[in-house]
Amino acid sequence: METQKKHIEFHINIDEAADRLNVQIVAEKPTVGEMLTCLLGTVKCVATTVAENRSEDTQKTLHSFATMVLKLADEMQDEEDNR
């Protein structure tokens, strides 16, 4: 039995003038695992590109990304706690 392929699109629009990032995800009934797999694959590609442009190690760049995500999660939790 052939596995059905999934199609997931991430559209990212950067509006520098408004200092905004607009993200649109096009997917038909994705599971959390499928979304996480796509997201992590995308993050790895972005980290590789950033590392190459900065002449850095990809692993160091991924670590920096992870640190930023943790800080963002903490900020979001603080906002929830202050409501």
Side-chain angles (χ1 to χ4, degrees):
M1 186 172 178
E2 188 175 320
T3 305
Q4 183 178 0
K5 294 182 180 181
K6 290 272 187 161
H7 181 83
I8 300 174
E9 295 179 23
F10 292 91
H11 298 270
I12 303 169
N13 296 308
I14 301 170
D15 183 350
E16 290 183 23
D19 193 27
R20 290 182 54 110
L21 182 72
N22 299 308
V23 179
Q24 178 187 15
I25 300 170
V26 178
E28 188 175 322
K29 297 182 183 179
T31 65
V32 172
E34 290 167 341
M35 291 296 293
L36 188 57
T37 298
C38 289
L39 178 64
L40 292 175
T42 302
V43 168
K44 185 177 178 185
C45 291
V46 170
T48 300
T49 301
V50 169
E52 288 173 357
N53 287 325
R54 291 183 170 184
S55 299
E56 287 183 356
D57 180 56
T58 300
Q59 188 171 1
K60 180 180 176 183
T61 304
L62 278 169
H63 187 269
S64 295
F65 284 9
T67 301
M68 286 186 277
V69 169
L70 288 172
K71 285 181 183 178
L72 179 61
D74 288 343
E75 289 172 9
M76 292 174 73
Q77 183 63 49
D78 290 345
E79 288 174 9
E80 284 289 321
D81 291 344
N82 291 330
R83 288 185 187 177

